């Protein structure tokens, strides 16, 4: 059973990040299809072959069902794969996580509008509007409530990483990328996302895949990305990779890189002529002309 996951631009499509995390973070089998956000055709036009879908992410199940709402995607995947743990097993934590995801799905419109997700830039000197501050305050209320209600031991909201955390991953990117004012507790939660290997793989893809789209930029001074520092890596032409499939696409390995004395493989579609480092389990893209 392999799903087809249709995604938008890695750097800018916040809902695509949520959908991707629902499969990648929970170890579910999928292959990806990418739409072009810089194309003259709209997203809806690029999805004509999977109508009635009009937005990304869109999930196509093995039997052909088309799911183009990420909350529905989370529920359907959880029903099909109860062992994956998309929702917490504890009833109280599960109900809390579902409520969190539903509010994220429907709300925080000022945060979305004022601070579009941009994995390629980080800003400094941002002065939030009153409406944006209200969105941030509401986030703190529901995050603190989740922690108080479910008493998680780790960094996530309702115990182990759940679909609720996947829904808030782009929020973490916005808070970090725009340097928005939140409490120390909220900053710790944001930092957990920035350090999460799956989140970092997504950002690595956003740095190297597709054009820079100026419509997502904002007129603030830029600064370094606040997440962990990437590790260096280099292309190599020989060696045995530790992985059989590309960690970004799931396709067979075609190119190799070395970091910290370890060799990892990537697929041609994502790696050719790319340069970026991702410092976790799959640490880097790198220029691969010499590996051909």
């Amino acid at each position: 059973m392999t799903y087809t996951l249709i995604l938008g631009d890695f750097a800018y499509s916040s809902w695509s990040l949520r959908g991707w995390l629902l499969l990648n973070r929970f170890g579910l089998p999928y292959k990806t299809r990418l739409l072009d956000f810089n194309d003259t055709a709209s997203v809806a036009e690029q999805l004509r072959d999977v109508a009635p879908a009009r937005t990304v992410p869109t999930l196509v199940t093995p039997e052909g069902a088309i799911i183009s709402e990420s909350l529905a995607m989370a529920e359907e995947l959880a029903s099909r794969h109860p062992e994956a743990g998309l929702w917490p097993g504890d009833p109280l934590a599960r109900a809390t996580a579902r409520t969190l995801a539903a509010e994220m799905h429907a709300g925080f419109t000022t945060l979305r509008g004022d601070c579009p997700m941009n994995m390629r830039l980080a800003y400094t000197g941002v002065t939030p509007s009153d409406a944006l501050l209200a969105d941030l305050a509401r986030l703190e209320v529901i995050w603190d409530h989740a922690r108080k209600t479910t008493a998680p031991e780790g960094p996530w909201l309702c115990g182990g990483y759940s679909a609720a955390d996947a829904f808030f991953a782009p929020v973490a990117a916005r808070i970090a990328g725009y340097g928005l004012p939140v409490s120390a507790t909220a900053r710790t939660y944001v930092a957990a996302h920035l350090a999460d290997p799956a989140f970092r793989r997504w950002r690595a893809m956003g740095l190297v895949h597709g054009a820079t789209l100026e419509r997502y930029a904002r007129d603030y001074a830029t600064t370094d990305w606040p997440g962990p520092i990437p590790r260096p890596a280099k292309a190599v032409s020989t060696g045995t990779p530790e992985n059989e499939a590309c960690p970004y696409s799931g396709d067979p390995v075609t190119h190799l890189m070395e970091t910290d004395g370890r060799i990892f493989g990537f697929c041609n579609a994502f790696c050719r002529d790319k340069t970026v480092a991702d410092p976790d389990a799959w640490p880097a893209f790198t220029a691969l002309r010499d590996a051909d």
Side-chain angles (χ1 to χ4, degrees), residues 82-178:
E83 76 289 346
L86 273 81
W87 298 117
D90 174 73
L92 175 60
R94 183 170 62 249
T96 302
R98 279 185 162 128
T99 299
L100 289 169
E103 182 164 350
M104 178 61 254
H105 190 270
F108 304 102
T109 54
T110 300
L111 177 61
R112 296 183 199 180
D114 289 3
C115 304
M117 191 181 81
N118 190 334
M119 292 293 193
R120 297 188 173 196
L121 292 174
Y123 298 107
T124 187
V126 177
T127 302
S129 66
D130 289 344
L132 178 52
L133 290 172
D135 271 359
L136 296 173
R138 178 59 185 172
L139 283 169
E140 301 235 24
V141 167
I142 62 176
W143 288 354
D144 289 347
H145 172 76
R147 292 186 170 283
K148 181 179 179 181
T149 300
T150 64
E153 295 183 0
W156 309 115
L157 292 175
C158 300
Y161 190 98
S162 75
D165 298 300
F167 271 69
F168 284 109
V171 171
R174 289 176 163 105
I175 291 173
Y178 290 83

Side-chain angles (χ1 to χ4, degrees), residues 12-276:
Y12 309 110
S13 181
S14 59
W15 285 108
S16 291
L17 170 56
R18 293 179 176 98
W20 183 83
L21 286 170
L22 291 174
L23 288 110
N24 183 276
R25 193 58 167 74
F26 295 96
L28 302 181
Y30 68 96
K31 59 183 180 180
T32 56
R33 168 184 161 188
L34 302 179
L35 303 189
D36 187 356
F37 271 25
N38 202 33
D39 197 283
T40 53
S42 69
V43 168
E45 289 171 329
Q46 293 180 67
L47 288 172
R48 280 179 294 188
D49 61 323
V50 286
R54 300 177 59 191
T55 57
V56 286
T58 287
L59 184 72
V60 182
T61 69
E63 66 275 14
I66 297 170
I67 308 172
S68 55
E69 284 290 340
S70 30
L71 196 56
M73 189 183 302
E75 295 291 5
E76 183 62 23
L77 290 172
S79 296
R80 291 171 179 245
H81 304 278
E83 76 289 346
L86 273 81
W87 298 117
D90 174 73
L92 175 60
R94 183 170 62 249
T96 302
R98 279 185 162 128
T99 299
L100 289 169
E103 182 164 350
M104 178 61 254
H105 190 270
F108 304 102
T109 54
T110 300
L111 177 61
R112 296 183 199 180
D114 289 3
C115 304
M117 191 181 81
N118 190 334
M119 292 293 193
R120 297 188 173 196
L121 292 174
Y123 298 107
T124 187
V126 177
T127 302
S129 66
D130 289 344
L132 178 52
L133 290 172
D135 271 359
L136 296 173
R138 178 59 185 172
L139 283 169
E140 301 235 24
V141 167
I142 62 176
W143 288 354
D144 289 347
H145 172 76
R147 292 186 170 283
K148 181 179 179 181
T149 300
T150 64
E153 295 183 0
W156 309 115
L157 292 175
C158 300
Y161 190 98
S162 75
D165 298 300
F167 271 69
F168 284 109
V171 171
R174 289 176 163 105
I175 291 173
Y178 290 83
L180 299 178
V182 293
S183 69
T185 302
R187 288 198 301 272
T188 298
Y189 178 60
V190 168
H193 281 286
L194 299 188
D196 180 57
F199 181 96
R200 298 179 77 170
R201 288 196 289 274
W202 177 273
R203 181 169 179 264
M205 292 188 288
L207 291 174
V208 301
H209 192 90
T212 296
L213 303 180
E214 295 300 331
R215 66 180 181 270
Y216 288 94
R218 291 297 180 266
D219 190 20
Y220 302 118
T222 58
T223 187
D224 292 335
W225 181 258
I229 302 300
R231 296 174 185 164
K234 64 179 181 179
V236 293
S237 57
T238 61
T240 302
E242 298 184 18
N243 56 303
E244 294 182 357
C246 176
Y248 297 91
S249 68
D251 292 336
V253 164
T254 59
H255 291 70
L256 303 176
M257 56 133 285
E258 180 182 344
T259 181
D260 293 339
R262 302 171 67 188
I263 295 177
F264 298 93
F266 299 88
C267 78
N268 184 66
F270 281 95
C271 300
R272 186 182 300 275
D273 303 335
K274 307 297 185 182
T275 306
V276 72

